[in-house]
Amino acid sequence: MKYKELIAKMTLEEKASLMSGKDFWQTQNIERLGINSIFLADGPHGIRKQAVGADKPGLNAGEPATCYPTAATVANSWNAELGEKVGEYLGEEAIAQKVNVLLGPGVNMKRNPLCGRNFEYFSEDPYLAGKMAASYIRGIQSYGVAACVKHFAANNQEERRMSIDTIVDERTLREIYLTAFEIAVKEGKTKSIMSSYNKLNGTYTNENLHLMQDILRGEWDYKGTVITDWGGSNDRIAGLLAGNELEMPTTAGETDQEIIQAIKRGEIKEDVLDECVDRLLDLIFTTEKAYQRPHVEFNVERHHRVSQKVAEESIVLLKNEGNILPLRFGKKVAVIGDFAKDARYQGAGSSIVNPTILDHTLDCFEESGIVSIGYEPGFERYGKKSQHKIDEACELAKKADVILLYLGLDEATEAEGLDRDSMKIPENQIQLLNAIYEVNQNIIAILSCGSAVEMPWIGKVKGLLHGYLGGQAGARAILRVLSGDVNPSGKLAETYPLRYEDTPSFRHFPGNEASVEYREGMYIGYRYYDTADVNVLFPFGFGLSYTTFVYSDLEVTKDGVTFIITNTGRIAGMEIAQLYVGCDSEDIFRPKKELKGFDKVFINAGESKKVKIPFDDKTFRYYNIKTNKWEIEEAEYSVLIGASSTDIRLVDRIHVEGTGAPLPYDKIKLPSYFAGKVTNVDEEEFEILLGRKVPVSTWDRTKPLGYNDIIAQCQYAKGWVARFTYRLVVFAHWYLRKVGKRSSANLIMMSIYHMPFRGIARLTGGVVNMPMLDGILMMVNGHFFKGLRHVWKERNKKVRFTKVKL
């Protein structure tokens, strides 16, 4: 232990106190020993340090900070160096705002396109997500502050996220859902990790010994701190035994006492607590050093320009019929769509940034050189239909040479705490597009959203530019691509299916009441579409340019690949070359090919460049469930160099020596997985893959409701007050949506409807403690007056205890 002498000076009470927050955002301090509080702030794509006091819960406004493009956007750049630059600027702003721990980046996989938080995650591919996350971490931590990779692990939906049990087989867990975290730990060397809310195969992640001890601490040799998601602690002692040091936010000392009593009863050794304290002290002291340098305010304008540069490199050109883009000089352009006036530039929830500057499209035309003849909103932002707005937009469209039509998803659709209902763009926007198409077919659509959408209307647009959520400078960045000042170089970090029903997890998202079964196994995203030969709208890794590239001269050695890319067009541009590897053996089921490397290169017109992509420890490995470790299968492997997962330009083969491990599967018993056709795997086959029985996925309506049951389950509670509360919550949600207050309606779903009862205690900063919660549960389960007396008694006891302490 690094701080053995200091820990020896602490009382048991002091050590226990460090294991939970001082308030909503700060850690506890011990003044007599010189241990100060450190500040944790949201910040995957910009600092959200609450402008109000740190003791205030909720999603309150943050101090002004640069809002960079979201992770889903930057992933489209496929540029790890750019990711590191974003991290550096985030680190600099963290220093300026006296933030020690930045809660990000998020590296959860995009298992399903409807996950409400996909805008905050990088990719459907763990290798790409891991490499981008590691670059962010290196940048953030170069300033001495800590990154906090989240949410560990298998947190791939928002619905019932605090109670859902993720059922996934070990190989899929390792290869798909943990690999990005592994890269973040080993290559990014993150100083902290946030455990997720959900259960993993029956055990809450922050209590999961296999996840936290066997894998994280054991196999990956992680020495840093593990922090709960806010209110994500279930059993504090089990969490401590798993090595989950810091519980956030404060519980006003309640869980400190649980730790103290558990040690006194011999349930946990004090040595375990000491090790946790030691790791937390290291986080405190190492991040404090960042503030020993002179305080310097960050340059707001410079950071804004960096945000613009990042957005420019992350924009994806998806369609360019007749080379309608870039816009030719002198073309009369009509600007239509509400997102042009009020840019959609970030997601919703805990990651909301209060931007220092905010560019809007209508304010940036003069410098872009594009001639706008006018603007019409065309549609109501939140879905309300308006024929009047459509008619006015069409009148403007008749006068223009080209239409810039800004479409997308609104802020209330993509949000933390709930998943999307569908992959569709709102119907009122489609009606507008159809109407404009009747009067002017030169339409360029600009999409603003952080996740995949269906596009049955794509035949009616000649150009399609996807800006994703481009941060505070995203609007200007889009205009620079439209005008040709910037050659688009982004490529999709996720697949766009033709329709939602084509997705491999369609039948098992967001799961049944108590659990979600990952029956598709490792076949998510392009791994499924390419293997099962399913047509898609846009493949993984796809993106157009204003120039063209030719690939040639592939050479494969035991160390990696080299090849030549030539820019055969008339302008300079950047190309993202992608290395995929496929195993030719059929003895172990695998996707047809998997991303194993990538490089983004700038090439002048007419120039050729040699590209080298090395192999690494992940190029040929697979996880063997019989040996319980990573193995290599001896076989011939296809080495494929592509401009996307389906646009393969160069192919070669290499023979790889194996590790001699036994075959892990009986091919006859797993036909769906060996075929890669996993949309309808039955329970029996999934159980063979799992190696155990699938747990019951529905709520047990015969048992009294307990700590880990959610408020929504009050619908069948024995207590009338609980059933009435449930109906009240449902009505409030319906009414708020009806009157157009969708963000408030969303907040009800996130913070009440799907909240476990324990969250009432864990997220109120000690206002309600667990003994009081026991009384609430008595009322819920049909003992109203007994429960009410218990709540009153425990409240008075708590008040008296607080007065004694004071």
Side-chain angles (χ1 to χ4, degrees):
M1 293 196 302
K2 286 186 180 181
Y3 306 98
K4 191 173 183 178
E5 292 183 9
L6 180 59
I7 293 171
K9 297 176 183 177
M10 294 183 194
T11 65
L12 177 58
E13 288 72 18
E14 286 173 330
K15 286 187 282 189
S17 73
L18 290 173
M19 296 293 94
S20 61
K22 177 181 181 179
D23 50 36
F24 211 79
W25 298 107
Q26 296 181 94
T27 62
Q28 188 59 263
N29 63 304
I30 303 176
E31 192 172 334
R32 74 176 187 89
L33 295 174
I35 300 170
N36 299 318
S37 298
I38 60 172
F39 201 100
L40 301 88
D42 289 310
H45 57 268
I47 314 294
R48 190 181 76 89
K49 184 178 181 182
Q50 289 195 172
V52 297
D55 60 333
K56 298 289 192 275
L59 304 179
N60 300 296
E63 295 178 10
T66 309
C67 181
Y68 296 94
T70 67
T73 311
V74 184
N76 292 334
S77 76
W78 293 64
N79 188 337
E81 291 181 5
L82 191 68
E84 189 161 343
K85 180 66 70 176
V86 174
E88 288 173 3
Y89 279 79
L90 286 169
E92 185 180 354
E93 294 193 32
I95 291 290
Q97 295 201 25
K98 296 185 177 179
V99 169
N100 301 75
V101 179
L102 205 57
L103 302 175
V107 300
N108 296 103
M109 290 297 96
K110 298 183 181 184
R111 173 183 178 245
N112 185 284
L114 299 188
C115 174
R117 215 166 176 179
N118 275 352
F119 66 86
E120 213 172 310
Y121 303 140
F122 289 107
S123 179
E124 68 187 30
D125 183 82
Y127 190 87
L128 176 58
K131 292 293 184 178
M132 294 302 296
S135 70
Y136 267 63
I137 294 161
R138 287 192 294 268
I140 291 166
Q141 295 187 169
S142 68
Y143 274 82
V145 297
C148 183
V149 179
K150 60 186 186 183
H151 308 86
F152 190 62
N155 175 197
N156 308 105
Q157 66 187 61
E158 291 299 287
E159 186 168 318
R160 305 190 303 281
R161 61 179 178 167
M162 294 185 79
S163 62
I164 198 76
D165 188 3
T166 298
I167 310 301
V168 58
D169 69 282
E170 185 72 10
R171 184 179 170 203
T172 297
L173 176 67
R174 300 295 195 119
E175 294 189 18
I176 303 298
Y177 297 102
L178 294 186
T179 292
F181 287 102
E182 180 186 357
I183 295 171
V185 169
K186 292 182 176 179
E187 297 181 23
K189 301 191 185 305
T190 185
K191 293 180 180 178
S192 62
I193 288 177
M194 182 187 290
S195 56
S196 56
Y197 285 126
N198 55 287
K199 293 178 183 176
L200 175 60
N201 292 324
T203 305
Y204 282 101
T205 58
N206 77 308
E207 302 167 11
N208 195 307
L209 291 172
H210 179 54
L211 183 67
M212 294 293 179
Q213 289 293 337
D214 298 345
I215 299 173
L216 180 62
R217 302 286 187 193
E219 294 179 25
W220 300 350
D221 195 31
Y222 178 63
K223 305 295 186 187
T225 302
V226 177
I227 303 166
T228 69
D229 204 339
W230 266 233
S233 176
N234 170 49
D235 183 323
R236 188 65 190 102
I237 306 308
L240 202 67
L241 285 167
N244 204 137
E245 285 82 16
L246 181 59
E247 174 192 26
M248 291 298 290
T250 183
T251 58
E254 183 176 16
T255 54
D256 302 350
Q257 286 301 311
E258 291 179 14
I259 293 170
I260 292 165
Q261 295 306 316
I263 289 173
K264 287 180 176 179
R265 290 193 300 266
E267 295 174 12
I268 183 172
K269 292 181 180 179
E270 194 166 348
D271 290 350
V272 173
L273 176 60
D274 290 349
E275 288 177 5
C276 290
V277 170
D278 188 70
R279 289 192 288 258
L280 181 60
L281 287 176
D282 196 51
L283 181 68
I284 293 170
F285 291 142
T286 56
T287 57
E288 273 189 333
K289 289 179 182 176
Y291 297 98
Q292 293 174 1
R293 67 185 79 177
H295 177 72
V296 179
E297 294 294 331
F298 68 92
N299 186 311
V300 171
E301 184 62 33
R302 180 160 60 91
H303 283 226
H304 181 69
R305 292 303 172 194
V306 169
S307 180
Q308 178 183 317
K309 162 65 177 161
V310 174
E312 288 171 359
E313 200 168 320
S314 304
I315 291 167
V316 187
L317 178 61
L318 294 174
K319 185 176 181 181
N320 196 16
E321 184 181 316
N323 291 321
I324 194 170
L325 288 172
L327 289 169
R328 287 159 182 77
F329 182 77
K331 289 284 185 182
K332 294 184 294 182
V333 172
V335 182
I336 298 173
D338 185 73
F339 295 116
K341 181 174 181 292
D342 294 307
R344 173 82 204 289
Y345 61 97
Q346 65 175 328
S350 62
S351 66
I352 290 180
V353 179
N354 182 10
T356 54
I357 302 169
L358 184 56
D359 290 339
H360 290 289
T361 303
L362 300 182
D363 301 327
C364 301
F365 268 103
E366 188 172 338
E367 67 183 71
S368 73
I370 299 172
V371 180
S372 170
I373 63 167
Y375 161 76
E376 287 294 340
F379 59 85
E380 294 280 354
R381 193 179 191 89
Y382 294 101
K384 185 178 178 182
K385 294 181 180 180
S386 171
Q387 188 60 44
H388 176 67
K389 288 184 183 295
I390 290 175
D391 292 343
E392 289 187 324
C394 287
E395 286 303 310
L396 179 63
K398 291 175 184 177
K399 304 171 187 175
D401 297 321
V402 177
I403 314 300
L404 294 184
L405 180 59
Y406 283 75
L407 306 173
L409 300 176
D410 60 66
E411 292 82 353
T413 298
E414 295 181 288
E416 178 181 354
L418 70 157
D419 300 315
R420 289 194 288 153
D421 294 330
S422 76
M423 284 184 65
K424 300 181 188 300
I425 293 286
E427 183 60 30
N428 65 336
Q429 296 183 39
I430 306 306
Q431 288 180 346
L432 171 66
L433 169 60
N434 291 336
I436 292 174
Y437 182 77
E438 294 300 318
V439 299
N440 190 333
Q441 296 183 5
N442 291 321
I443 302 171
I444 299 167
I446 297 95
L447 274 178
S448 298
C449 54
S451 49
V453 293
E454 292 176 356
M455 302 182 198
W457 41 264
I458 195 169
K460 293 186 176 180
V461 301
K462 290 185 176 179
L464 178 59
L465 198 68
H466 202 333
Y468 267 69
L469 300 178
Q472 64 183 50
R476 179 178 272 109
I478 286 170
L479 286 176
R480 282 175 54 78
V481 172
L482 291 170
S483 69
D485 289 340
V486 171
N487 187 354
S489 63
K491 295 194 176 189
L492 294 175
E494 60 186 317
T495 307
Y496 276 54
L498 286 166
R499 56 187 194 132
Y500 177 59
E501 290 78 9
D502 292 338
T503 60
S505 56
F506 165 66
R507 288 183 173 84
H508 298 280
F509 181 91
N512 212 330
E513 297 166 339
S515 65
V516 55
E517 297 168 7
Y518 286 25
R519 292 199 187 185
E520 72 280 359
M522 65 178 62
Y523 296 101
I524 71 167
Y526 74 91
R527 284 170 166 79
Y528 165 70
Y529 299 114
D530 289 358
T531 307
D533 198 23
V534 175
N535 289 330
V536 298
L537 180 63
F538 295 115
F540 176 78
F542 176 83
L544 300 174
S545 171
Y546 294 152
T547 189
T548 52
F549 299 97
V550 170
Y551 291 62
S552 63
D553 301 331
L554 173 62
E555 293 183 12
V556 180
T557 70
K558 63 181 179 61
D559 298 317
V561 299
T562 58
F563 50 94
I564 303 294
I565 302 181
T566 302
N567 184 340
T568 55
R570 296 181 179 179
I571 61 172
M574 287 184 280
E575 172 67 341
I576 299 162
Q578 302 155 43
L579 164 66
Y580 296 90
V581 172
C583 182
D584 294 348
S585 167
E586 296 182 356
D587 291 336
I588 302 170
F589 69 79
R590 299 170 184 254
K592 185 176 182 180
K593 56 181 173 291
E594 298 179 279
L595 182 73
K596 298 297 181 179
F598 58 91
D599 194 16
K600 188 168 192 175
V601 290
F602 176 85
I603 310 176
N604 285 310
E607 182 185 13
S608 295
K609 278 193 176 178
K610 189 172 188 177
V611 179
K612 181 177 181 179
I613 303 178
F615 296 150
D616 61 20
D617 64 325
K618 297 169 187 64
T619 304
F620 302 107
R621 74 177 190 177
Y622 76 97
Y623 193 81
N624 189 301
I625 58 168
K626 282 191 176 178
T627 63
N628 289 319
K629 62 180 183 179
W630 294 100
E631 304 283 4
I632 295 174
E633 181 183 7
E634 180 168 353
E636 291 286 322
Y637 289 81
S638 296
V639 177
L640 310 103
I641 306 299
S644 79
S645 65
T646 61
D647 184 8
I648 302 301
R649 305 291 182 88
L650 304 170
V651 179
D652 204 343
R653 299 160 78 84
I654 185 173
H655 182 84
V656 178
E657 296 292 329
T659 51
L663 294 178
Y665 303 112
D666 183 340
K667 189 173 182 178
I668 297 174
K669 294 181 179 179
L670 296 170
S672 301
Y673 297 102
F674 275 89
K677 297 182 178 180
V678 293
T679 54
N680 201 19
V681 177
D682 63 32
E683 186 172 297
E684 182 181 359
E685 186 176 357
F686 184 51
E687 287 182 339
I688 292 170
L689 182 70
L690 274 178
R692 61 184 183 278
K693 297 290 289 182
V694 173
V696 176
S697 61
T698 53
W699 293 321
D700 186 344
R701 286 164 167 76
T702 64
K703 290 183 178 180
L705 296 180
Y707 296 146
N708 292 319
D709 293 311
I710 63 175
I711 304 300
Q713 291 175 253
C714 285
Q715 61 189 280
Y716 61 80
K718 290 183 178 179
W720 65 268
V721 68
R723 296 193 301 273
F724 176 76
T725 300
Y726 168 77
R727 293 190 181 96
L728 192 64
V729 169
V730 171
F731 173 78
H733 177 260
W734 171 84
Y735 178 76
L736 288 169
R737 285 183 66 90
K738 186 78 173 175
V739 299
K741 295 186 176 181
R742 290 176 59 201
S743 294
S744 298
N746 289 348
L747 195 60
I748 284 178
M749 297 302 286
M750 179 175 72
S751 59
I752 301 176
Y753 191 83
H754 292 305
M755 176 73 69
F757 282 97
R758 62 178 160 82
I760 298 172
R762 299 303 195 209
L763 277 168
T764 55
V767 174
V768 176
N769 61 19
M770 293 300 281
M772 292 168 66
L773 180 59
D774 289 335
I776 292 172
L777 285 170
M778 288 178 195
M779 290 189 283
V780 165
N781 289 312
H783 306 287
F784 179 77
F785 292 107
K786 181 181 177 181
L788 187 62
R789 286 194 298 271
H790 188 86
V791 171
W792 187 254
K793 173 187 169 185
E794 293 299 332
R795 178 191 172 278
N796 289 338
K797 190 187 296 184
K798 178 178 173 293
V799 170
R800 287 195 301 271
F801 179 74
T802 303
K803 287 180 178 179
V804 170
K805 283 183 69 177
L806 295 174

